[in-house]
Amino acid sequence: MAVFRKDSVPVTVAHASYPAPYTLPAGRLHYRHITEAGGLTQFGAALETLLPGGQSSQMHWEEHEDEFMFMLSGTLTVVEDGVETIVGPGDSCCWRAGTPVGHMLKNHSDAPATYLIVGSRRPENICHYPGLDLIATPDGPTHLDGTPYPKKGDTQ
């Protein structure tokens, strides 16, 4: 058993991990990856804080990974296939694997919003980004036609 006291898991500042032209600004969100600290491998859980004006990710849905979000403080706008819903403390969201509902979180408020995010860790997962020429595969991001995006540091 591992006990982690509040603030004992280090904060990581999110960086832009999407290939150009879909990158998001660094610093929009920070997280404490609780399950990484505990060495768990079958699911991932993180305490995330989305800063004012921030967007959690590009609109996406997962083929093989369930996702769960539980709001702890602040308010967020959940965007699902273009429909916006405001959520606050005590509210939760579930996105079932294989259900093509594109989703993302936005912070339109003037205060940080903190939530617990949990997902399966399926190495075969494929993530779809509706409206973008982007698919995340186990081998890295590709265009819709399967052509890989250049890896960081590669020259074109």
Side-chain angles (χ1 to χ4, degrees), residues 50-69:
L50 187 60
L51 301 176
Q55 175 178 317
S56 62
S57 63
Q58 294 290 1
M59 185 77 69
H60 69 283
W61 64 273
E62 315 266 355
E63 276 191 28
H64 302 286
E65 290 198 13
D66 287 337
E67 292 179 279
F68 170 78
M69 188 273 291

PDB file of all heavy atoms in Angstrom, residues 50-69:
ATOM      1  N   LEU A  50      -7.167  22.994 -14.608  1.00  0.00           N
ATOM      2  CA  LEU A  50      -7.229  23.719 -15.868  1.00  0.00           C
ATOM      3  C   LEU A  50      -7.354  25.201 -15.538  1.00  0.00           C
ATOM      4  O   LEU A  50      -8.266  25.610 -14.815  1.00  0.00           O
ATOM      5  CB  LEU A  50      -8.409  23.237 -16.705  1.00  0.00           C
ATOM      6  CG  LEU A  50      -8.522  23.769 -18.127  1.00  0.00           C
ATOM      7  CD1 LEU A  50      -7.287  23.408 -18.956  1.00  0.00           C
ATOM      8  CD2 LEU A  50      -9.779  23.200 -18.794  1.00  0.00           C
ATOM      9  N   LEU A  51      -6.416  25.973 -16.044  1.00  0.00           N
ATOM     10  CA  LEU A  51      -6.361  27.397 -15.722  1.00  0.00           C
ATOM     11  C   LEU A  51      -7.367  28.198 -16.548  1.00  0.00           C
ATOM     12  O   LEU A  51      -7.828  27.732 -17.596  1.00  0.00           O
ATOM     13  CB  LEU A  51      -4.942  27.909 -15.931  1.00  0.00           C
ATOM     14  CG  LEU A  51      -3.890  27.186 -15.085  1.00  0.00           C
ATOM     15  CD1 LEU A  51      -2.497  27.684 -15.412  1.00  0.00           C
ATOM     16  CD2 LEU A  51      -4.181  27.344 -13.599  1.00  0.00           C
ATOM     17  N   PRO A  52      -7.731  29.401 -16.079  1.00  0.00           N
ATOM     18  CA  PRO A  52      -8.678  30.238 -16.829  1.00  0.00           C
ATOM     19  C   PRO A  52      -8.236  30.418 -18.279  1.00  0.00           C
ATOM     20  O   PRO A  52      -7.055  30.645 -18.560  1.00  0.00           O
ATOM     21  CB  PRO A  52      -8.650  31.568 -16.076  1.00  0.00           C
ATOM     22  CG  PRO A  52      -8.293  31.186 -14.678  1.00  0.00           C
ATOM     23  CD  PRO A  52      -7.310  30.047 -14.828  1.00  0.00           C
ATOM     24  N   GLY A  53      -9.186  30.274 -19.189  1.00  0.00           N
ATOM     25  CA  GLY A  53      -8.901  30.394 -20.613  1.00  0.00           C
ATOM     26  C   GLY A  53      -8.331  29.139 -21.234  1.00  0.00           C
ATOM     27  O   GLY A  53      -8.131  29.078 -22.445  1.00  0.00           O
ATOM     28  N   GLY A  54      -8.074  28.102 -20.422  1.00  0.00           N
ATOM     29  CA  GLY A  54      -7.440  26.885 -20.918  1.00  0.00           C
ATOM     30  C   GLY A  54      -8.416  25.898 -21.539  1.00  0.00           C
ATOM     31  O   GLY A  54      -9.612  25.918 -21.281  1.00  0.00           O
ATOM     32  N   GLN A  55      -7.858  25.028 -22.359  1.00  0.00           N
ATOM     33  CA  GLN A  55      -8.572  23.926 -22.995  1.00  0.00           C
ATOM     34  C   GLN A  55      -7.796  22.667 -22.660  1.00  0.00           C
ATOM     35  O   GLN A  55      -6.580  22.627 -22.823  1.00  0.00           O
ATOM     36  CB  GLN A  55      -8.611  24.184 -24.498  1.00  0.00           C
ATOM     37  CG  GLN A  55      -9.209  23.102 -25.331  1.00  0.00           C
ATOM     38  CD  GLN A  55      -9.231  23.489 -26.805  1.00  0.00           C
ATOM     39  OE1 GLN A  55      -9.563  24.611 -27.157  1.00  0.00           O
ATOM     40  NE2 GLN A  55      -8.867  22.553 -27.667  1.00  0.00           N
ATOM     41  N   SER A  56      -8.466  21.617 -22.201  1.00  0.00           N
ATOM     42  CA  SER A  56      -7.781  20.410 -21.739  1.00  0.00           C
ATOM     43  C   SER A  56      -7.067  19.660 -22.850  1.00  0.00           C
ATOM     44  O   SER A  56      -5.985  19.111 -22.638  1.00  0.00           O
ATOM     45  CB  SER A  56      -8.768  19.466 -21.060  1.00  0.00           C
ATOM     46  OG  SER A  56      -9.763  19.043 -21.998  1.00  0.00           O
ATOM     47  N   SER A  57      -7.687  19.600 -24.006  1.00  0.00           N
ATOM     48  CA  SER A  57      -7.179  18.774 -25.103  1.00  0.00           C
ATOM     49  C   SER A  57      -7.865  19.214 -26.384  1.00  0.00           C
ATOM     50  O   SER A  57      -8.761  20.051 -26.367  1.00  0.00           O
ATOM     51  CB  SER A  57      -7.506  17.297 -24.838  1.00  0.00           C
ATOM     52  OG  SER A  57      -8.914  17.107 -24.814  1.00  0.00           O
ATOM     53  N   GLN A  58      -7.475  18.590 -27.472  1.00  0.00           N
ATOM     54  CA  GLN A  58      -8.258  18.727 -28.688  1.00  0.00           C
ATOM     55  C   GLN A  58      -9.505  17.848 -28.527  1.00  0.00           C
ATOM     56  O   GLN A  58      -9.506  16.887 -27.746  1.00  0.00           O
ATOM     57  CB  GLN A  58      -7.445  18.268 -29.907  1.00  0.00           C
ATOM     58  CG  GLN A  58      -6.247  19.126 -30.217  1.00  0.00           C
ATOM     59  CD  GLN A  58      -6.616  20.498 -30.756  1.00  0.00           C
ATOM     60  OE1 GLN A  58      -7.783  20.856 -30.900  1.00  0.00           O
ATOM     61  NE2 GLN A  58      -5.597  21.297 -31.036  1.00  0.00           N
ATOM     62  N   MET A  59     -10.572  18.187 -29.222  1.00  0.00           N
ATOM     63  CA  MET A  59     -11.781  17.364 -29.221  1.00  0.00           C
ATOM     64  C   MET A  59     -11.372  15.955 -29.644  1.00  0.00           C
ATOM     65  O   MET A  59     -10.675  15.781 -30.646  1.00  0.00           O
ATOM     66  CB  MET A  59     -12.789  17.946 -30.215  1.00  0.00           C
ATOM     67  CG  MET A  59     -14.119  17.251 -30.219  1.00  0.00           C
ATOM     68  SD  MET A  59     -15.161  17.701 -28.837  1.00  0.00           S
ATOM     69  CE  MET A  59     -15.538  19.390 -29.227  1.00  0.00           C
ATOM     70  N   HIS A  60     -11.773  14.936 -28.858  1.00  0.00           N
ATOM     71  CA  HIS A  60     -11.325  13.573 -29.141  1.00  0.00           C
ATOM     72  C   HIS A  60     -12.309  12.543 -28.599  1.00  0.00           C
ATOM     73  O   HIS A  60     -13.175  12.858 -27.796  1.00  0.00           O
ATOM     74  CB  HIS A  60      -9.941  13.331 -28.524  1.00  0.00           C
ATOM     75  CG  HIS A  60      -9.999  13.285 -27.020  1.00  0.00           C
ATOM     76  ND1 HIS A  60     -10.106  14.419 -26.240  1.00  0.00           N
ATOM     77  CD2 HIS A  60      -9.990  12.236 -26.152  1.00  0.00           C
ATOM     78  CE1 HIS A  60     -10.153  14.074 -24.963  1.00  0.00           C
ATOM     79  NE2 HIS A  60     -10.086  12.747 -24.891  1.00  0.00           N
ATOM     80  N   TRP A  61     -12.123  11.309 -29.034  1.00  0.00           N
ATOM     81  CA  TRP A  61     -12.760  10.134 -28.433  1.00  0.00           C
ATOM     82  C   TRP A  61     -11.820   8.948 -28.589  1.00  0.00           C
ATOM     83  O   TRP A  61     -10.968   8.931 -29.451  1.00  0.00           O
ATOM     84  CB  TRP A  61     -14.149   9.849 -29.021  1.00  0.00           C
ATOM     85  CG  TRP A  61     -14.186   9.485 -30.472  1.00  0.00           C
ATOM     86  CD1 TRP A  61     -14.260  10.342 -31.533  1.00  0.00           C
ATOM     87  CD2 TRP A  61     -14.170   8.161 -31.036  1.00  0.00           C
ATOM     88  NE1 TRP A  61     -14.273   9.646 -32.717  1.00  0.00           N
ATOM     89  CE2 TRP A  61     -14.230   8.305 -32.441  1.00  0.00           C
ATOM     90  CE3 TRP A  61     -14.099   6.881 -30.493  1.00  0.00           C
ATOM     91  CZ2 TRP A  61     -14.232   7.213 -33.298  1.00  0.00           C
ATOM     92  CZ3 TRP A  61     -14.099   5.787 -31.353  1.00  0.00           C
ATOM     93  CH2 TRP A  61     -14.172   5.965 -32.734  1.00  0.00           C
ATOM     94  N   GLU A  62     -11.960   7.995 -27.667  1.00  0.00           N
ATOM     95  CA  GLU A  62     -11.019   6.870 -27.567  1.00  0.00           C
ATOM     96  C   GLU A  62     -11.682   5.559 -28.003  1.00  0.00           C
ATOM     97  O   GLU A  62     -12.801   5.270 -27.602  1.00  0.00           O
ATOM     98  CB  GLU A  62     -10.565   6.696 -26.111  1.00  0.00           C
ATOM     99  CG  GLU A  62     -10.201   7.970 -25.404  1.00  0.00           C
ATOM    100  CD  GLU A  62      -8.728   8.309 -25.465  1.00  0.00           C
ATOM    101  OE1 GLU A  62      -7.959   7.491 -25.995  1.00  0.00           O
ATOM    102  OE2 GLU A  62      -8.368   9.381 -24.992  1.00  0.00           O
ATOM    103  N   GLU A  63     -10.961   4.769 -28.807  1.00  0.00           N
ATOM    104  CA  GLU A  63     -11.490   3.471 -29.236  1.00  0.00           C
ATOM    105  C   GLU A  63     -11.523   2.448 -28.109  1.00  0.00           C
ATOM    106  O   GLU A  63     -12.468   1.675 -28.000  1.00  0.00           O
ATOM    107  CB  GLU A  63     -10.652   2.890 -30.389  1.00  0.00           C
ATOM    108  CG  GLU A  63     -11.045   3.414 -31.728  1.00  0.00           C
ATOM    109  CD  GLU A  63     -10.389   2.634 -32.868  1.00  0.00           C
ATOM    110  OE1 GLU A  63     -10.064   1.435 -32.720  1.00  0.00           O
ATOM    111  OE2 GLU A  63     -10.202   3.264 -33.924  1.00  0.00           O
ATOM    112  N   HIS A  64     -10.464   2.403 -27.276  1.00  0.00           N
ATOM    113  CA  HIS A  64     -10.325   1.318 -26.304  1.00  0.00           C
ATOM    114  C   HIS A  64     -10.178   1.787 -24.859  1.00  0.00           C
ATOM    115  O   HIS A  64      -9.848   0.972 -23.999  1.00  0.00           O
ATOM    116  CB  HIS A  64      -9.110   0.441 -26.664  1.00  0.00           C
ATOM    117  CG  HIS A  64      -9.198  -0.143 -28.038  1.00  0.00           C
ATOM    118  ND1 HIS A  64     -10.038  -1.173 -28.364  1.00  0.00           N
ATOM    119  CD2 HIS A  64      -8.569   0.197 -29.191  1.00  0.00           C
ATOM    120  CE1 HIS A  64      -9.914  -1.459 -29.648  1.00  0.00           C
ATOM    121  NE2 HIS A  64      -9.028  -0.638 -30.172  1.00  0.00           N
ATOM    122  N   GLU A  65     -10.362   3.053 -24.602  1.00  0.00           N
ATOM    123  CA  GLU A  65     -10.190   3.555 -23.237  1.00  0.00           C
ATOM    124  C   GLU A  65     -11.435   4.262 -22.738  1.00  0.00           C
ATOM    125  O   GLU A  65     -11.943   5.172 -23.386  1.00  0.00           O
ATOM    126  CB  GLU A  65      -9.009   4.537 -23.169  1.00  0.00           C
ATOM    127  CG  GLU A  65      -7.690   3.862 -23.345  1.00  0.00           C
ATOM    128  CD  GLU A  65      -6.522   4.692 -22.857  1.00  0.00           C
ATOM    129  OE1 GLU A  65      -6.734   5.704 -22.160  1.00  0.00           O
ATOM    130  OE2 GLU A  65      -5.389   4.318 -23.165  1.00  0.00           O
ATOM    131  N   ASP A  66     -11.915   3.808 -21.581  1.00  0.00           N
ATOM    132  CA  ASP A  66     -12.943   4.550 -20.863  1.00  0.00           C
ATOM    133  C   ASP A  66     -12.283   5.764 -20.216  1.00  0.00           C
ATOM    134  O   ASP A  66     -11.107   5.710 -19.830  1.00  0.00           O
ATOM    135  CB  ASP A  66     -13.548   3.698 -19.731  1.00  0.00           C
ATOM    136  CG  ASP A  66     -14.460   2.589 -20.222  1.00  0.00           C
ATOM    137  OD1 ASP A  66     -14.992   2.684 -21.348  1.00  0.00           O
ATOM    138  OD2 ASP A  66     -14.641   1.621 -19.472  1.00  0.00           O
ATOM    139  N   GLU A  67     -13.050   6.849 -20.075  1.00  0.00           N
ATOM    140  CA  GLU A  67     -12.570   8.032 -19.366  1.00  0.00           C
ATOM    141  C   GLU A  67     -13.643   8.465 -18.357  1.00  0.00           C
ATOM    142  O   GLU A  67     -14.836   8.414 -18.652  1.00  0.00           O
ATOM    143  CB  GLU A  67     -12.318   9.189 -20.330  1.00  0.00           C
ATOM    144  CG  GLU A  67     -11.162   8.977 -21.279  1.00  0.00           C
ATOM    145  CD  GLU A  67     -10.997  10.157 -22.207  1.00  0.00           C
ATOM    146  OE1 GLU A  67     -11.734  10.217 -23.200  1.00  0.00           O
ATOM    147  OE2 GLU A  67     -10.157  11.023 -21.909  1.00  0.00           O
ATOM    148  N   PHE A  68     -13.182   8.903 -17.197  1.00  0.00           N
ATOM    149  CA  PHE A  68     -14.068   9.372 -16.130  1.00  0.00           C
ATOM    150  C   PHE A  68     -13.489  10.656 -15.555  1.00  0.00           C
ATOM    151  O   PHE A  68     -12.282  10.748 -15.322  1.00  0.00           O
ATOM    152  CB  PHE A  68     -14.173   8.312 -15.026  1.00  0.00           C
ATOM    153  CG  PHE A  68     -14.862   8.803 -13.788  1.00  0.00           C
ATOM    154  CD1 PHE A  68     -16.237   8.907 -13.737  1.00  0.00           C
ATOM    155  CD2 PHE A  68     -14.123   9.176 -12.672  1.00  0.00           C
ATOM    156  CE1 PHE A  68     -16.869   9.361 -12.594  1.00  0.00           C
ATOM    157  CE2 PHE A  68     -14.745   9.637 -11.523  1.00  0.00           C
ATOM    158  CZ  PHE A  68     -16.127   9.728 -11.490  1.00  0.00           C
ATOM    159  N   MET A  69     -14.352  11.654 -15.323  1.00  0.00           N
ATOM    160  CA  MET A  69     -13.925  12.918 -14.746  1.00  0.00           C
ATOM    161  C   MET A  69     -14.863  13.280 -13.600  1.00  0.00           C
ATOM    162  O   MET A  69     -16.080  13.159 -13.737  1.00  0.00           O
ATOM    163  CB  MET A  69     -13.953  14.014 -15.819  1.00  0.00           C
ATOM    164  CG  MET A  69     -13.349  15.351 -15.395  1.00  0.00           C
ATOM    165  SD  MET A  69     -14.474  16.489 -14.572  1.00  0.00           S
ATOM    166  CE  MET A  69     -15.579  16.943 -15.878  1.00  0.00           C
TER     167      MET A  69
END
